[in-house]
């Protein structure tokens, strides 16, 4: 076994420190496409040291690798660093070598943040599975582009039975954006018992209930979350702090709970005065295994 194979074998056995040392040794033996990419992958996915990975991957790209692995990985790093133009350029180069769902999805993210919503919509669609987050993002783009009929048709086709189903509250959020408040309420109700309650989507639920004159249910929803926050604050005050939870962290947590409670308490008045709670939308990075020589994913070692 060469050094790279031994490193991957250690990684498979969860001998992480040994694996990292061997990946570094492989770079010392030869600074080539394989050793640099594999060490960068470890820095990204195990160490979360994106700066170290960036330097290694820029060195790899200068070698003009024939594999799309380092291009995809560098695209990930640029996305995390919010370097949108750089991410867009490198992921386009990756797709020119070999199309992959990860590159399509991440290129869509870069284009979305660059304000090229049409391009983002197209790339999200290319990476999407039925009812998944990429298709959800595709539909979000369609709504922003004003293509609401197409967006609604595609959203109506989502199924809770699909393996990568995005989620009930996410469905509701897009129906709110489309102005389909009855359908939005149906999906919010489905998610009510399943989701952790946070002000961003609960406020949208209350807004939607008021839009279809379900005032009593809006009061019920708010009463439940306000009561839950009060209980959370009482429980937190009883918790002793220790090495894992300092006095300062406890105070910050209680302050956050109190702010959420206040947000709920004033919500009906704010909505009645014309406030429309905004949709919270985050793009979702897609990753993969880009380790050369990974037997589990049947990746061969890199050869020119």
């Amino acid at each position: 076994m060469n050094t790279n194979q031994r490193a991957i074998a250690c990684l498979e056995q969860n001998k992480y420190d040994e694996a990292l040392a061997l990946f570094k040794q492989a770079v010392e033996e030869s600074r080539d496409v394989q050793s640099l990419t594999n060490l960068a992958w470890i820095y990204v996915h195990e160490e979360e040291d994106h700066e170290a990975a960036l330097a290694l991957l820029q060195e790899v790209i200068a070698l003009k690798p024939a594999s799309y692995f380092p291009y995809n990985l560098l695209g990930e790093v640029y996305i995390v660093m919010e370097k949108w133009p750089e991410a867009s350029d490198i992921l386009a180069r990756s797709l020119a070598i070999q199309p992959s769902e990860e590159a399509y999805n991440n290129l869509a993210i870069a284009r979305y943040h660059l304000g090229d919503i049409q391009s983002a919509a197209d790339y999200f669609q290319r990476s999407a599975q039925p009812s998944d987050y990429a298709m959800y993002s595709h539909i979000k783009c369609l709504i922003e582009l004003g293509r609401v009929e197409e967006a609604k048709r595609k959203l109506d086709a989502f199924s809770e039975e699909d393996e990568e189903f995005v989620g009930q509250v996410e469905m509701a959020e897009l129906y709110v954006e489309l102005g389909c408040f009855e359908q939005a309420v149906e999906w919010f109700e489905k998610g009510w018992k399943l989701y952790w309650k946070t002000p961003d989507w609960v406020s949208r639920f209350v807004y939607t209930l008021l839009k279809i004159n379900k005032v009593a249910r809006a009061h019920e929803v708010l009463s439940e979350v306000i009561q839950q926050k009060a209980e959370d604050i009482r429980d937190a005050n009883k918790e002793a702090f220790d090495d894992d939870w300092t006095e300062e962290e406890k105070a910050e947590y209680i302050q956050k709970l109190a702010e959420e409670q206040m947000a709920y308490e004033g919500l009906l008045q704010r909505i009645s005065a014309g406030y429309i709670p905004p949709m919270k939308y985050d793009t979702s990075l897609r990753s993969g295994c880009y380790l050369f020589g990974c037997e589990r994913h049947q990746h061969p070692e890199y050869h020119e």
Side-chain angles (χ1 to χ4, degrees):
M1 293 174 81
N2 63 29
T3 307
N4 183 64
Q5 290 164 342
R6 284 160 52 216
I8 289 174
C10 285
L11 197 61
E12 286 289 335
Q13 295 163 29
N14 295 317
K15 296 177 181 175
Y16 175 71
D17 291 338
E18 291 176 47
L20 179 58
L22 286 164
F23 281 121
K24 288 179 177 177
Q25 183 184 322
V27 170
E28 289 169 11
E29 290 170 1
S30 176
R31 297 186 76 87
D32 55 28
V33 170
Q34 175 167 292
S35 66
L36 293 165
T37 301
N38 283 10
L39 181 57
W41 193 92
I42 294 299
Y43 279 139
V44 170
H45 290 278
E46 300 290 347
E47 297 279 286
E48 295 186 6
D49 186 345
H50 293 90
E51 290 288 349
L54 177 62
L56 293 168
L57 289 166
Q58 287 174 332
E59 188 177 341
V60 176
I61 299 304
L63 299 172
K64 297 185 169 61
S67 167
Y68 72 99
F69 281 10
Y71 296 90
N72 268 19
L73 188 56
L74 182 54
E76 271 186 45
V77 171
Y78 282 140
I79 294 282
V80 171
M81 292 180 165
E82 300 186 357
K83 293 178 180 285
W84 311 122
E86 293 88 342
S88 180
D89 290 346
I90 206 72
L91 289 164
R93 289 173 68 183
S94 175
L95 287 168
I97 295 169
Q98 183 172 325
S100 65
E101 288 183 2
E102 293 84 3
Y104 280 130
N105 182 84
N106 297 343
L107 180 53
I109 291 171
R111 293 287 171 85
Y112 182 85
H113 287 286
L114 288 167
D116 186 354
I117 309 303
Q118 178 61 64
S119 178
D122 293 342
Y123 285 121
F124 275 129
Q125 186 173 26
R126 292 191 198 189
S127 73
Q129 300 296 322
S131 312
D132 72 351
Y133 200 88
M135 184 59 78
Y136 166 86
S137 296
H138 168 66
I139 293 169
K140 174 71 169 67
C141 290
L142 293 180
I143 295 169
E144 290 189 33
L145 291 165
R147 291 158 61 181
V148 291
E149 289 182 12
E150 183 184 352
K152 182 165 190 309
R153 188 173 69 252
K154 288 179 173 178
L155 188 59
D156 288 343
F158 272 44
S159 169
E160 289 176 274
E161 305 305 314
D162 285 335
E163 191 175 346
E164 300 294 330
F165 176 65
V166 66
Q168 291 82 3
V169 165
E170 287 78 6
M171 293 287 293
E173 289 276 21
L174 288 184
Y175 277 119
V176 175
E177 292 297 286
L178 287 165
C180 302
F181 301 119
E182 296 276 0
Q183 282 168 288
V185 165
E186 285 177 26
W187 283 103
F188 276 130
E189 291 288 8
K190 284 184 178 186
W192 186 246
K193 299 292 185 191
L194 303 173
Y195 278 62
W196 181 255
K197 314 294 190 295
T198 56
D200 56 327
W201 73 265
V202 172
S203 64
R204 301 262 293 174
F205 185 16
V206 170
Y207 166 76
T208 309
L209 287 164
L210 294 176
K211 290 294 286 186
I212 60 172
N213 295 315
K214 290 195 171 183
V215 180
R217 178 60 179 144
H219 279 280
E220 269 179 31
V221 164
L222 280 173
S223 176
E224 184 177 330
V225 290
I226 290 167
Q227 185 179 339
Q228 183 61 57
K229 287 300 162 195
E231 288 174 13
D232 290 344
I233 291 168
R234 281 197 299 273
D235 290 345
N237 275 314
K238 291 175 190 172
E239 285 280 329
F241 35 81
D242 53 29
D243 292 341
D244 294 325
W245 201 36
T246 65
E247 186 173 1
E248 185 180 346
E249 287 169 339
K250 176 178 173 177
E252 285 176 4
Y253 176 62
I254 291 171
Q255 174 69 21
K256 180 173 175 286
L257 293 173
E259 287 171 1
E260 289 184 1
Q261 188 178 11
M262 284 176 63
Y264 289 135
E265 286 172 348
L267 189 61
L268 281 176
Q269 293 87 339
R270 294 206 308 281
I271 290 173
S272 299
Y275 171 66
I276 300 173
M279 176 180 171
K280 182 183 176 184
Y281 168 69
D282 296 312
T283 50
S284 180
L285 182 73
R286 188 174 289 187
S287 186
C289 174
Y290 304 124
L291 287 170
F292 291 111
C294 175
E295 289 187 11
R296 190 198 306 184
H297 297 102
Q298 298 181 314
H299 295 162
E301 297 208 13
Y302 183 83
H303 300 290
E304 289 289 358

